[in-house]
Amino acid sequence: MAEPELVDVVVVGLGVGGEEVAGRLAEAGLSVVGVERDLVGGECPYWGCIPSKIMIRAANALAEARRVDGLAGTVQVQSDWAPVAKRIREEATDTWDDTVAVRRLTDRGARFVRGSGRLDGPGRVRVGDQVFQARHGIVLGTGTRPSVPPIEGLADSPYWTNHQAIEVEQLPESLLVLGGGAIGLELSQAFTRFGVRVTVVEALDRVLAIEEPEASEVAAAALRADGVEIHTGVRTERVEHDGSRFTLRGPGAAEFTADRLLVVTGRRAHLDELGLDTIGVDATQRYLPVDDRLQVTDGIWAVGDVTGEGAFTHIAMYQAAIVIADVLAHARKSDAGADPSGTASVVGGAMGAASSLGASGSSGSAGSVPRADYRALPRVTFTDPEIGAVGLTEQQARKRGINVQVGFTKLGSSTRGWIHRVGDEGFIKLIADADQGVLIGATSVGPAGGEVLSALVVAVHAAVPLSQLRHMIYAYPTFHRAIEDALRNLS
Ligand SMILES: Cc1cc2nc3c(=O)[nH]c(=O)nc-3n(C[C@H](O)[C@H](O)[C@H](O)COP(=O)(O)OP(=O)(O)OC[C@H]3O[C@@H](n4cnc5c(N)ncnc54)[C@H](O)[C@@H]3O)c2cc1C
């Protein structure tokens, strides 16, 4: 067995969360080994946020051009997927090559090891034949992979996940999308705007089921208006592939056929691969449970999707800042113990970075590390119209027994919505805690729903009193001015 190599920190999985943690800790002066088995940067830059938003930007340009009719004359629109595929391949992903990302990481001072990392007892990580002993901690940022439901015939068929959908160079004529969540809807709308005949099949009784029902309705109506067929409440029982076409069979006579099948039915962490049993952590859980400093257990932190706190890049980055501050606080404490004079080199560098991250307090003790708080977690589904949401939905708030007030207004009834005319579908829905006099949730749907959301995120995050929200000035005629109307309608 290889002799373990002593380092300060090992980060396993270098998606957005892991890469940020590894880079910042290395910049702070710790010896950091970052382990990645696929591409440094993870899902977001190569198969997620960035390429999907490149597709959506292009698809929305087509849709906006088609809206010229009735507003400003006539336009003939001819779509072409080639520039979209080229931009994703050449500009966004370097043809799915992470040379630049690896250099970005090593330039920050981290050491990079390509391979699968696995815990190998307390403080130890094994990557093939190499074993690292981490002095200050191990950070797991191993993310999630598509969760594929156990439907008869599916596993053996050449279905697409988000990877094939993002890498596609030649669009199929028709596409079945299994799953009507955010990713399914975003990709469905983008593809349909480029002429693909898209059919969405969703088992639940509405698309975008985690958001407000009104948001589901607007999203479904918008996609249908684009030509997407949407079938909800259909539990697929069987998938067939005859060599060229897919058929999904549901209960009774339900049957849908297309050239390609995209499976976007959620994502799951693969904890069984991480050697958690060697440190006494149950690997059969859905996600890695963490405390509010992202600690799984003493000396082990987790960051990003693997924690199950929300599968968003902004969550991974938010958590990364907390992990970095906490690891540095621990490193300082343990170095101070080992070197009572306080002159160990890591301490100075580490504390410099901790304070720059907002780990306030001059002591640098674990007590000064910010705690994770997800009350004001924003989420945006980048359909057209965009669906932004923060905090609790009405149903979630009522289930918690909160004395709920709801304020609702349609965007079309605002001045800006009226001016906008085509494509002005949307609304603002506010959820207030009447006893506390603050917003605890909000949904903002519209042409700039994700941007309008920012004001509502501040309101929920900072618990701004409703009285103050009512007496501030909203610029005229903006979309966000509809927030004022929704506040007026709170009851
Ligand atoms: C199509 C799509 C669109 C999305 N759009 C958005 C969006 O608009 N906005 C947003 O906020 N989020 C979006 N997301 C979600 C976002 O991509 C994720 O939340 C984000 O990538 C999570 O980062 P992470 O660091 O937790 O994990 P990941 O990005 O999943 O990275 C984990 C890394 O760990 C590696 N790994 C796993 N196990 C090991 C191991 N044992 N050893 C070594 N390496 C390992 C993997 O190879 C991977 O590179 C989207 C996702 C998809 C699929």
Side-chain angles (χ1 to χ4, degrees), residues 44-94:
C44 180
Y46 295 103
W47 297 285
C49 334
I50 295 174
S52 66
K53 267 77 241 178
I54 287 175
M55 289 181 180
I56 288 165
R57 164 75 180 121
N60 288 0
L62 292 173
E64 201 55 14
R66 288 170 185 141
R67 287 174 181 146
V68 165
D69 285 14
L71 277 181
T74 53
V75 164
Q76 273 208 332
V77 182
Q78 186 71 45
S79 69
D80 181 5
W81 184 252
V84 184
K86 185 172 188 285
R87 189 167 176 216
I88 290 172
R89 187 180 0 97
E90 293 181 4
E91 292 178 35
T93 67
D94 279 349

Side-chain angles (χ1 to χ4, degrees), residues 13 15-17 36-37 43 49 53 115 117 141-142 162 304-305 311-313:
V16 278
E36 170 57 52
R37 67 174 168 210
E43 207 68 6
C49 334
K53 267 77 241 178
T142 47
N162 61 302
D305 284 10
F312 299 104
T313 287

Side-chain angles (χ1 to χ4, degrees), residues 210-232:
I210 60 163
E211 300 300 356
E212 296 283 7
E214 297 90 338
S216 304
E217 272 171 37
V218 173
L223 265 72
R224 283 187 172 122
D226 277 329
V228 177
E229 244 188 68
I230 298 181
H231 300 271
T232 53

Side-chain angles (χ1 to χ4, degrees), residues 12-18 35-39 41-44 47-49 52-53 115-118 141-144 162 166 183 186-187 267 273-274 303-306 310-314 316 380 382:
V12 181
L14 299 173
V16 278
V35 186
E36 170 57 52
R37 67 174 168 210
D38 201 347
L39 297 180
E43 207 68 6
C44 180
W47 297 285
C49 334
S52 66
K53 267 77 241 178
S116 277
R118 194 182 161 80
T142 47
T144 55
N162 61 302
I166 294 287
I183 295 173
E186 287 181 4
L187 295 176
R267 306 192 52 96
E273 304 168 352
L274 297 179
V303 66
D305 284 10
V306 73
F312 299 104
T313 287
H314 45 272
V380 179
F382 291 88

Side-chain angles (χ1 to χ4, degrees), residues 5-14 18 21-23 25-26 30-36 105 109-114 125 127 130-134 137-139:
E5 189 182 332
L6 191 64
V7 297
D8 286 333
V9 176
V10 181
V11 181
V12 181
L14 299 173
V21 170
L25 291 179
L30 299 184
S31 66
V32 178
V33 170
V35 186
E36 170 57 52
L105 180 71
R111 181 169 148 203
F112 175 62
V113 175
R114 181 90 66 193
V125 173
V127 190
Q130 290 171 283
V131 181
F132 299 97
Q133 180 74 43
I138 295 168
V139 182

